[in-house]
Amino acid sequence: MTMRDIRIIGDPVLRTPSEPITSFDADLRALVTDLMDTLLGKPGRAGVAAPQIGVNAQVFVYEADGHRGHMINPTLELSDELQDDDEGCLSIPGLYFPTPRALHATAHGFDQHGEPLTIAGSGFLARALQHETDHLLGRLYVDTLRGEVRRRALREIRAGRFDSPRRA
């Protein structure tokens, strides 16, 4: 089991759009395994994207609403209907804020062998797919916040009011 360190807000890799995967080889499969080990290594985790372990690649793993898997080079189709539940992030540990997301999401991409893959979900699974795809675009969930909630989140981040262990 290879549990990798989680990068914390302030690390430039979290703000850099990831490169698309072009080679579906043993290195990619090892990366997917490391991501899954990192996800499952501690309870309560819903997803880990490659940038969160310092790798600039469009791949993430997830475990939400009884679904577990990975997605490479995702694109999303989102519903107009919204949900507004609390959301957190391993890269900003300990902080949770109400975050608007589409209620339904369908992710299209590839599995680790280059085969086309589609994952559709509602509620928490839809939220996880959106959250992890945002990581691949260099965005964090706090970027979607607005108004007073955004101001409060940024104040708490600037003040360092989050847990900061490397293995968040």
Side-chain angles (χ1 to χ4, degrees):
M1 177 181 209
T2 305
M3 216 174 122
R4 304 269 293 267
D5 289 344
I6 297 292
R7 302 295 178 99
I8 302 300
I9 190 168
D11 189 315
V13 72
L14 296 172
R15 295 302 195 171
T16 304
S18 298
E19 295 294 323
I21 300 292
T22 57
S23 184
F24 295 82
D25 58 11
D27 289 339
L28 174 62
R29 288 187 291 283
L31 174 59
V32 170
T33 298
D34 283 358
L35 284 165
M36 192 60 74
D37 287 349
T38 303
L39 172 68
L40 300 176
K42 288 194 177 180
R45 292 180 169 183
V48 177
Q52 291 182 282
I53 63 167
V55 178
N56 185 332
Q58 288 190 12
V59 56
F60 67 79
V61 297
Y62 62 92
E63 181 173 56
D65 286 344
H67 300 273
R68 180 190 295 171
H70 66 278
M71 173 69 66
I72 296 164
N73 298 339
T75 59
L76 293 178
E77 292 176 36
L78 303 174
S79 69
D80 291 331
E81 192 177 359
L82 296 178
Q83 57 177 314
D84 194 27
D85 294 323
D86 279 355
E87 191 166 319
C89 180
L90 298 173
S91 293
I92 314 172
L95 294 184
Y96 300 87
F97 297 97
T99 305
R101 295 282 189 182
L103 182 59
H104 308 283
T106 302
H108 301 280
F110 301 91
D111 71 11
Q112 62 188 327
H113 303 288
E115 296 298 320
L117 182 62
T118 298
I119 304 161
S122 298
F124 188 61
L125 178 57
R127 178 175 296 280
L129 295 173
Q130 293 167 78
H131 181 108
E132 299 310 325
T133 299
D134 276 355
H135 276 300
L136 304 182
L137 300 172
R139 294 191 302 236
L140 298 171
Y141 84 100
V142 294
D143 299 334
T144 67
L145 303 177
R146 300 288 175 255
E148 180 52 37
V149 172
R150 180 175 173 78
R151 286 188 290 278
R152 185 168 44 103
L154 295 177
R155 275 193 308 269
E156 290 190 32
I157 290 167
R158 277 193 298 273
R161 293 190 185 127
F162 56 92
D163 302 328
S164 57
R166 294 295 291 168
R167 287 192 188 271

